[in-house]
């Protein structure tokens, strides 16, 4: 997939050169979610190194799609940009093969792992463009259902794109 055509910002698939920015945006996601679960007080930054390793592996994986929107070099609103464009936004999605069932005929479930926009680039349609491209990718791969966890800020966009309340009760366990 090349850059998405249409009225929204240009979306492209992430490459290895984007790793530093992908790690920065992913860390920003957890800072914005807040709370002890997402940002425990005992956490240090060693997870960022592990994240960089996994992201590098995932960049070329068939069941993963990492999409980005390039920044315009003017994150702070100062027109005297230093030329460092960085990334304005990113979105990560995966496809998992589960067992087929009557409610999931082919067993293929998509997951939107996270969509995050740098605060200085918000309200410009970046998340919407990334999500539409990810949904196109899921459709091309005949995914039966797409799951995501929405922040309060992101929920209106996801509902506008057709996401509804999940029918399954969600629980989790940590060993």
């Amino acid at each position: 997939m090349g850059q998405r055509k249409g009225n929204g910002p240009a979306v492209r698939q992430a490459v290895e050169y984007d790793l530093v920015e992908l790690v920065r945006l992913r860390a920003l996601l957890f800072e914005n979610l807040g709370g002890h679960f997402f940002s425990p007080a005992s956490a240090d930054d060693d997870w960022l190194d592990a994240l960089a390793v996994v992201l590098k592996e995932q960049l070329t994986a068939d069941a993963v799609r990492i999409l980005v929107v390039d920044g315009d070099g003017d994150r702070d609103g100062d027109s005297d940009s230093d030329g460092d464009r960085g990334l304005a936004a990113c979105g990560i999605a995966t496809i998992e093969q589960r067992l087929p069932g009557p409610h999931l005929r082919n067993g293929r479930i998509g997951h939107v792992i996270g969509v995050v926009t740098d605060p200085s680039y918000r309200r410009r349609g970046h998340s919407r463009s990334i999500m539409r491209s990810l949904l196109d990718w899921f459709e091309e791969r005949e995914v039966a259902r797409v799951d995501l966890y929405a922040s309060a800020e992101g929920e209106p966009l996801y509902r506008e794109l057709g996401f509804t309340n999940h029918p399954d009760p969600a629980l989790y366990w940590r060993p």
Side-chain angles (χ1 to χ4, degrees):
M1 174 183 153
Q3 292 188 347
R4 184 172 171 79
K5 296 178 175 81
N7 295 335
V11 174
R12 65 172 175 85
Q13 189 165 340
V15 295
E16 191 170 336
Y17 177 81
D18 296 316
L19 279 174
V20 170
E21 279 291 283
L22 288 170
V23 169
R24 179 185 70 82
L25 287 173
R26 187 82 178 149
L28 184 64
L29 175 71
F30 291 108
E31 289 173 15
N32 288 340
L33 289 175
H36 182 70
F37 179 81
F38 293 107
S39 229
S42 62
D44 53 31
D45 288 343
D46 63 337
W47 70 275
L48 295 170
D49 293 331
L51 173 62
V53 169
V54 172
L55 281 172
K56 183 176 179 179
E57 293 170 357
Q58 298 295 314
L59 282 171
T60 57
D62 289 338
V64 178
R65 189 64 150 191
I66 304 174
L67 299 179
V68 298
V69 173
D70 289 308
D72 58 13
D74 194 19
R75 265 192 279 204
D76 59 5
D78 178 4
S79 60
D80 295 331
S81 171
D82 62 6
D84 179 18
R85 293 169 48 104
L87 293 178
C90 72
I92 303 170
T94 63
I95 298 174
E96 177 183 351
Q97 180 63 58
R98 292 191 183 173
L99 297 174
H103 63 293
L104 197 62
R105 297 289 180 175
N106 67 4
R108 294 174 63 82
I109 294 182
H111 299 274
V112 176
I113 304 300
V115 175
V116 61
T117 301
D118 182 287
S120 59
Y121 287 109
R122 292 189 178 151
R123 312 300 304 163
R124 299 187 196 181
H126 299 321
S127 293
R128 178 181 315 281
S129 292
I130 286 172
M131 279 302 299
R132 285 184 174 151
S133 295
L134 289 176
L135 294 175
D136 289 347
W137 180 71
F138 286 130
E139 283 187 56
E140 290 166 6
R141 280 148 187 81
E142 299 178 353
V143 167
R145 185 181 83 215
V146 176
D147 294 340
L148 61 74
Y149 292 99
S151 66
E153 189 176 81
E155 186 175 349
L157 168 63
Y158 301 130
R159 290 199 181 275
E160 182 183 314
L161 292 172
F163 285 83
T164 60
N165 292 340
H166 201 291
D168 297 334
L171 303 173
Y172 75 96
W173 176 75
R174 285 190 174 174

